[in-house]
Short mmCIF file of all heavy atoms in Angstrom, two decimals:
data_model
loop_
_atom_site.label_atom_id
_atom_site.label_comp_id
_atom_site.label_asym_id
_atom_site.label_seq_id
_atom_site.Cartn_x
_atom_site.Cartn_y
_atom_site.Cartn_z
N THR B 145 79.59 73.14 -13.69
CA THR B 145 79.65 71.87 -14.40
C THR B 145 80.82 71.97 -15.37
O THR B 145 81.37 73.05 -15.58
CB THR B 145 78.33 71.56 -15.13
OG1 THR B 145 78.34 70.19 -15.54
CG2 THR B 145 78.15 72.42 -16.36
N PHE B 146 81.19 70.88 -15.94
CA PHE B 146 82.34 70.90 -16.83
C PHE B 146 82.10 71.85 -17.99
O PHE B 146 81.08 71.78 -18.65
CB PHE B 146 82.63 69.49 -17.36
CG PHE B 146 83.16 68.58 -16.30
CD1 PHE B 146 82.34 67.63 -15.72
CD2 PHE B 146 84.46 68.70 -15.86
CE1 PHE B 146 82.82 66.81 -14.72
CE2 PHE B 146 84.95 67.88 -14.86
CZ PHE B 146 84.14 66.93 -14.30
N GLY B 147 83.02 72.76 -18.20
CA GLY B 147 82.93 73.64 -19.36
C GLY B 147 82.26 74.97 -19.11
O GLY B 147 82.44 75.90 -19.88
N SER B 148 81.43 75.07 -18.06
CA SER B 148 80.75 76.36 -17.87
C SER B 148 80.56 76.68 -16.39
O SER B 148 79.48 77.09 -15.99
CB SER B 148 79.40 76.37 -18.58
OG SER B 148 78.59 75.34 -18.07
N ALA B 149 81.59 76.49 -15.63
CA ALA B 149 81.46 76.76 -14.20
C ALA B 149 81.50 78.25 -13.92
O ALA B 149 82.31 78.98 -14.49
CB ALA B 149 82.56 76.05 -13.43
N GLU B 150 80.62 78.69 -13.04
CA GLU B 150 80.64 80.09 -12.61
C GLU B 150 81.53 80.29 -11.38
O GLU B 150 81.70 81.41 -10.94
CB GLU B 150 79.22 80.55 -12.26
CG GLU B 150 78.28 80.61 -13.44
CD GLU B 150 76.94 81.20 -13.03
OE1 GLU B 150 76.32 80.64 -12.11
OE2 GLU B 150 76.52 82.20 -13.63
N VAL B 151 81.99 79.19 -10.85
CA VAL B 151 82.75 79.28 -9.60
C VAL B 151 84.19 78.80 -9.81
O VAL B 151 84.45 77.94 -10.67
CB VAL B 151 82.08 78.45 -8.48
CG1 VAL B 151 80.72 79.03 -8.14
CG2 VAL B 151 81.95 76.98 -8.87
N ASP B 152 85.06 79.37 -9.02
CA ASP B 152 86.49 79.05 -9.10
C ASP B 152 87.08 79.44 -7.76
O ASP B 152 87.43 80.59 -7.53
CB ASP B 152 87.12 79.87 -10.24
CG ASP B 152 88.60 79.58 -10.39
OD1 ASP B 152 89.01 78.42 -10.21
OD2 ASP B 152 89.37 80.52 -10.68
N TRP B 153 87.14 78.48 -6.87
CA TRP B 153 87.44 78.80 -5.47
C TRP B 153 88.86 78.40 -5.08
O TRP B 153 89.36 77.35 -5.51
CB TRP B 153 86.46 78.07 -4.55
CG TRP B 153 85.03 78.49 -4.75
CD1 TRP B 153 84.57 79.73 -5.03
CD2 TRP B 153 83.88 77.64 -4.67
NE1 TRP B 153 83.19 79.72 -5.13
CE2 TRP B 153 82.75 78.45 -4.91
CE3 TRP B 153 83.68 76.29 -4.42
CZ2 TRP B 153 81.45 77.94 -4.91
CZ3 TRP B 153 82.39 75.78 -4.42
CH2 TRP B 153 81.28 76.61 -4.66
N GLY B 154 89.41 79.20 -4.22
CA GLY B 154 90.73 78.87 -3.67
C GLY B 154 91.83 79.78 -4.17
O GLY B 154 92.91 79.82 -3.60
N ASP B 155 91.58 80.53 -5.25
CA ASP B 155 92.62 81.43 -5.74
C ASP B 155 92.80 82.59 -4.77
O ASP B 155 93.81 83.28 -4.80
CB ASP B 155 92.31 81.93 -7.15
CG ASP B 155 90.92 82.49 -7.29
OD1 ASP B 155 90.03 82.06 -6.53
OD2 ASP B 155 90.70 83.35 -8.16
N GLN B 156 91.83 82.82 -3.92
CA GLN B 156 91.98 83.82 -2.86
C GLN B 156 92.26 83.09 -1.55
O GLN B 156 93.35 82.59 -1.35
CB GLN B 156 90.71 84.66 -2.75
CG GLN B 156 90.44 85.49 -3.98
CD GLN B 156 91.34 86.71 -4.02
OE1 GLN B 156 92.08 86.91 -4.99
NE2 GLN B 156 91.32 87.52 -2.99
N ASP B 157 91.24 82.99 -0.71
CA ASP B 157 91.44 82.49 0.64
C ASP B 157 90.83 81.11 0.91
O ASP B 157 91.25 80.42 1.83
CB ASP B 157 90.79 83.47 1.65
CG ASP B 157 91.83 84.34 2.30
OD1 ASP B 157 92.99 84.28 1.87
OD2 ASP B 157 91.47 85.06 3.23
N MET B 158 89.81 80.80 0.18
CA MET B 158 88.96 79.68 0.61
C MET B 158 89.73 78.37 0.73
O MET B 158 90.45 77.97 -0.18
CB MET B 158 87.79 79.49 -0.36
CG MET B 158 86.66 78.62 0.21
SD MET B 158 85.42 78.18 -1.01
CE MET B 158 84.64 79.72 -1.33
N GLU B 159 89.55 77.71 1.89
CA GLU B 159 90.17 76.40 2.11
C GLU B 159 89.11 75.31 2.09
O GLU B 159 89.32 74.24 1.53
CB GLU B 159 90.87 76.36 3.48
CG GLU B 159 91.71 77.58 3.81
CD GLU B 159 93.04 77.59 3.09
OE1 GLU B 159 93.26 76.74 2.22
OE2 GLU B 159 93.86 78.48 3.40
N TRP B 160 87.98 75.58 2.73
CA TRP B 160 86.90 74.60 2.79
C TRP B 160 85.56 75.29 2.60
O TRP B 160 85.33 76.38 3.11
CB TRP B 160 86.88 73.89 4.16
CG TRP B 160 87.92 72.84 4.29
CD1 TRP B 160 89.18 72.99 4.79
CD2 TRP B 160 87.80 71.45 3.93
NE1 TRP B 160 89.86 71.80 4.75
CE2 TRP B 160 89.03 70.84 4.23
CE3 TRP B 160 86.78 70.68 3.39
CZ2 TRP B 160 89.27 69.48 4.01
CZ3 TRP B 160 87.00 69.34 3.16
CH2 TRP B 160 88.23 68.74 3.47
N ILE B 161 84.66 74.61 1.88
CA ILE B 161 83.30 75.08 1.77
C ILE B 161 82.35 73.91 2.04
O ILE B 161 82.62 72.77 1.61
CB ILE B 161 83.00 75.73 0.39
CG1 ILE B 161 81.54 76.22 0.33
CG2 ILE B 161 83.33 74.81 -0.76
CD1 ILE B 161 81.24 77.09 -0.88
N PHE B 162 81.29 74.18 2.76
CA PHE B 162 80.28 73.16 3.08
C PHE B 162 78.98 73.59 2.44
O PHE B 162 78.49 74.69 2.71
CB PHE B 162 80.15 73.00 4.60
CG PHE B 162 81.44 72.57 5.22
CD1 PHE B 162 82.38 73.51 5.63
CD2 PHE B 162 81.75 71.23 5.32
CE1 PHE B 162 83.61 73.11 6.14
CE2 PHE B 162 82.98 70.82 5.83
CZ PHE B 162 83.90 71.76 6.25
N ILE B 163 78.46 72.72 1.58
CA ILE B 163 77.25 73.06 0.83
C ILE B 163 76.13 72.16 1.31
O ILE B 163 76.02 70.99 0.91
CB ILE B 163 77.47 72.88 -0.69
CG1 ILE B 163 78.70 73.66 -1.15
CG2 ILE B 163 76.24 73.36 -1.45
CD1 ILE B 163 79.10 73.39 -2.59
N SER B 164 75.30 72.71 2.20
CA SER B 164 74.19 71.92 2.74
C SER B 164 72.96 72.17 1.89
O SER B 164 72.07 72.95 2.23
CB SER B 164 73.94 72.33 4.20
OG SER B 164 72.94 71.50 4.76
N ALA B 165 72.96 71.53 0.73
CA ALA B 165 71.87 71.66 -0.23
C ALA B 165 71.64 70.30 -0.86
O ALA B 165 72.54 69.45 -0.87
CB ALA B 165 72.21 72.69 -1.30
N SER B 166 70.46 70.12 -1.39
CA SER B 166 70.06 68.81 -1.86
C SER B 166 71.01 68.24 -2.92
O SER B 166 71.32 68.91 -3.90
CB SER B 166 68.66 68.89 -2.46
OG SER B 166 68.13 67.61 -2.60
N HIS B 167 71.48 67.03 -2.68
CA HIS B 167 72.32 66.30 -3.63
C HIS B 167 73.54 67.13 -4.06
O HIS B 167 74.02 66.99 -5.18
CB HIS B 167 71.52 65.90 -4.87
CG HIS B 167 70.45 64.88 -4.58
ND1 HIS B 167 70.37 63.68 -5.24
CD2 HIS B 167 69.42 64.89 -3.72
CE1 HIS B 167 69.33 63.00 -4.78
NE2 HIS B 167 68.73 63.73 -3.86
N SER B 168 74.02 68.00 -3.19
CA SER B 168 75.08 68.94 -3.59
C SER B 168 76.35 68.23 -4.02
O SER B 168 77.08 68.72 -4.88
CB SER B 168 75.38 69.91 -2.45
OG SER B 168 75.75 69.19 -1.28
N LEU B 169 76.63 67.09 -3.43
CA LEU B 169 77.83 66.34 -3.84
C LEU B 169 77.42 64.93 -4.24
O LEU B 169 77.98 63.95 -3.74
CB LEU B 169 78.86 66.29 -2.71
CG LEU B 169 79.55 67.59 -2.32
CD1 LEU B 169 80.65 67.32 -1.32
CD2 LEU B 169 80.11 68.32 -3.53
N GLU B 170 76.47 64.84 -5.13
CA GLU B 170 76.07 63.52 -5.59
C GLU B 170 77.28 62.86 -6.25
O GLU B 170 78.14 63.53 -6.82
CB GLU B 170 74.92 63.63 -6.60
CG GLU B 170 74.15 62.36 -6.76
CD GLU B 170 72.89 62.57 -7.58
OE1 GLU B 170 73.02 62.66 -8.81
OE2 GLU B 170 71.81 62.63 -6.99
N GLU B 171 77.32 61.56 -6.14
CA GLU B 171 78.52 60.84 -6.56
C GLU B 171 78.95 61.17 -8.00
O GLU B 171 80.11 61.45 -8.26
CB GLU B 171 78.26 59.34 -6.44
CG GLU B 171 79.47 58.51 -6.80
CD GLU B 171 79.20 57.04 -6.55
OE1 GLU B 171 78.21 56.73 -5.88
OE2 GLU B 171 79.99 56.23 -7.03
N PHE B 172 78.04 61.17 -8.90
CA PHE B 172 78.34 61.52 -10.28
C PHE B 172 77.30 62.51 -10.76
O PHE B 172 76.19 62.52 -10.26
CB PHE B 172 78.32 60.26 -11.17
CG PHE B 172 79.47 59.37 -10.89
CD1 PHE B 172 79.28 58.18 -10.24
CD2 PHE B 172 80.75 59.74 -11.25
CE1 PHE B 172 80.35 57.35 -9.96
CE2 PHE B 172 81.83 58.92 -10.96
CZ PHE B 172 81.63 57.72 -10.31
N PRO B 173 77.62 63.38 -11.68
CA PRO B 173 78.80 63.37 -12.55
C PRO B 173 79.96 64.24 -12.06
O PRO B 173 80.75 64.69 -12.88
CB PRO B 173 78.25 63.89 -13.87
CG PRO B 173 77.17 64.84 -13.47
CD PRO B 173 76.59 64.32 -12.19
N TYR B 174 80.09 64.48 -10.80
CA TYR B 174 81.26 65.16 -10.29
C TYR B 174 81.34 66.60 -10.83
O TYR B 174 82.35 67.05 -11.31
CB TYR B 174 82.50 64.36 -10.66
CG TYR B 174 83.77 64.80 -10.00
CD1 TYR B 174 83.78 65.35 -8.73
CD2 TYR B 174 85.00 64.64 -10.64
CE1 TYR B 174 84.94 65.75 -8.12
CE2 TYR B 174 86.18 65.03 -10.05
CZ TYR B 174 86.15 65.60 -8.79
OH TYR B 174 87.30 66.00 -8.20
N GLU B 175 80.21 67.28 -10.72
CA GLU B 175 80.10 68.58 -11.38
C GLU B 175 80.83 69.71 -10.66
O GLU B 175 80.97 70.80 -11.20
CB GLU B 175 78.62 68.93 -11.56
CG GLU B 175 78.03 68.12 -12.70
CD GLU B 175 76.52 67.97 -12.63
OE1 GLU B 175 76.01 67.78 -11.52
OE2 GLU B 175 75.89 68.03 -13.68
N TRP B 176 81.29 69.46 -9.44
CA TRP B 176 82.00 70.52 -8.73
C TRP B 176 83.50 70.46 -8.96
O TRP B 176 84.26 71.22 -8.35
CB TRP B 176 81.69 70.44 -7.22
CG TRP B 176 80.27 70.81 -6.97
CD1 TRP B 176 79.22 69.95 -6.78
CD2 TRP B 176 79.70 72.12 -6.97
NE1 TRP B 176 78.04 70.64 -6.64
CE2 TRP B 176 78.31 71.99 -6.75
CE3 TRP B 176 80.23 73.41 -7.14
CZ2 TRP B 176 77.45 73.08 -6.69
CZ3 TRP B 176 79.36 74.49 -7.07
CH2 TRP B 176 77.99 74.31 -6.84
N ASP B 177 83.95 69.62 -9.87
CA ASP B 177 85.39 69.54 -10.15
C ASP B 177 85.97 70.89 -10.56
O ASP B 177 87.03 71.29 -10.06
CB ASP B 177 85.64 68.48 -11.24
CG ASP B 177 87.12 68.28 -11.47
OD1 ASP B 177 87.81 67.88 -10.52
OD2 ASP B 177 87.60 68.55 -12.59
N PRO B 178 85.30 71.65 -11.46
CA PRO B 178 85.88 72.93 -11.86
C PRO B 178 85.89 73.97 -10.75
O PRO B 178 86.53 75.02 -10.89
CB PRO B 178 84.97 73.40 -13.00
CG PRO B 178 84.15 72.23 -13.38
CD PRO B 178 84.05 71.36 -12.18
N ALA B 179 85.18 73.71 -9.65
CA ALA B 179 85.16 74.68 -8.55
C ALA B 179 86.53 74.77 -7.88
O ALA B 179 86.84 75.78 -7.23
CB ALA B 179 84.10 74.29 -7.52
N PHE B 180 87.34 73.74 -8.03
CA PHE B 180 88.69 73.77 -7.47
C PHE B 180 89.58 74.61 -8.40
O PHE B 180 89.81 74.23 -9.54
CB PHE B 180 89.27 72.36 -7.36
CG PHE B 180 88.67 71.53 -6.26
CD1 PHE B 180 87.43 70.92 -6.43
CD2 PHE B 180 89.32 71.36 -5.05
CE1 PHE B 180 86.88 70.14 -5.42
CE2 PHE B 180 88.77 70.59 -4.04
CZ PHE B 180 87.55 69.97 -4.23
N HIS B 181 90.07 75.73 -7.91
CA HIS B 181 90.95 76.57 -8.73
C HIS B 181 92.20 75.78 -9.12
O HIS B 181 92.67 74.94 -8.36
CB HIS B 181 91.37 77.81 -7.92
CG HIS B 181 92.32 78.70 -8.66
ND1 HIS B 181 91.92 79.48 -9.71
CD2 HIS B 181 93.65 78.91 -8.49
CE1 HIS B 181 92.97 80.15 -10.17
NE2 HIS B 181 94.03 79.81 -9.45
N SER B 182 92.72 76.07 -10.30
CA SER B 182 93.93 75.41 -10.75
C SER B 182 95.07 76.41 -10.80
O SER B 182 94.93 77.47 -11.42
CB SER B 182 93.70 74.81 -12.14
OG SER B 182 94.88 74.18 -12.58
N PRO B 183 96.21 76.18 -10.18
CA PRO B 183 96.53 75.01 -9.38
C PRO B 183 95.70 74.98 -8.09
O PRO B 183 95.31 76.03 -7.58
CB PRO B 183 98.02 75.18 -9.07
CG PRO B 183 98.26 76.65 -9.19
CD PRO B 183 97.32 77.15 -10.24
N ILE B 184 95.51 73.77 -7.60
CA ILE B 184 94.57 73.58 -6.50
C ILE B 184 95.06 74.20 -5.21
O ILE B 184 96.18 73.96 -4.77
CB ILE B 184 94.33 72.07 -6.28
CG1 ILE B 184 93.58 71.48 -7.47
CG2 ILE B 184 93.53 71.84 -5.00
CD1 ILE B 184 93.44 69.98 -7.39
N THR B 185 94.19 75.03 -4.64
CA THR B 185 94.45 75.57 -3.30
C THR B 185 93.28 75.31 -2.36
O THR B 185 93.44 75.38 -1.14
CB THR B 185 94.72 77.08 -3.37
OG1 THR B 185 93.73 77.67 -4.20
CG2 THR B 185 96.09 77.36 -3.94
N LEU B 186 92.11 75.08 -2.94
CA LEU B 186 90.96 74.69 -2.11
C LEU B 186 91.24 73.29 -1.55
O LEU B 186 91.64 72.40 -2.29
CB LEU B 186 89.70 74.67 -2.98
CG LEU B 186 88.37 74.35 -2.30
CD1 LEU B 186 87.98 75.47 -1.35
CD2 LEU B 186 87.27 74.14 -3.34
N HIS B 187 90.99 73.11 -0.28
CA HIS B 187 91.31 71.81 0.33
C HIS B 187 90.17 70.80 0.21
O HIS B 187 90.41 69.60 0.18
CB HIS B 187 91.66 72.00 1.81
CG HIS B 187 92.91 72.79 2.02
ND1 HIS B 187 93.54 72.89 3.23
CD2 HIS B 187 93.66 73.54 1.16
CE1 HIS B 187 94.62 73.66 3.12
NE2 HIS B 187 94.69 74.07 1.88
N GLY B 188 88.94 71.29 0.19
CA GLY B 188 87.85 70.32 0.08
C GLY B 188 86.48 70.96 0.12
O GLY B 188 86.32 72.15 0.43
#
Side-chain angles (χ1 to χ4, degrees):
Chain B
T145 193
F146 289 103
S148 60
E150 293 186 303
V151 295
D152 180 37
W153 297 323
D155 51 332
Q156 295 284 123
D157 258 8
M158 196 189 291
E159 315 283 8
W160 282 92
I161 180 170
F162 299 89
I163 307 172
S164 184
S166 195
H167 293 236
S168 57
L169 292 187
E170 200 171 77
E171 183 175 347
F172 289 108
Y174 191 31
E175 284 157 320
W176 291 99
D177 185 61
F180 287 79
H181 178 73
S182 179
I184 292 174
T185 46
L186 183 68
H187 295 192

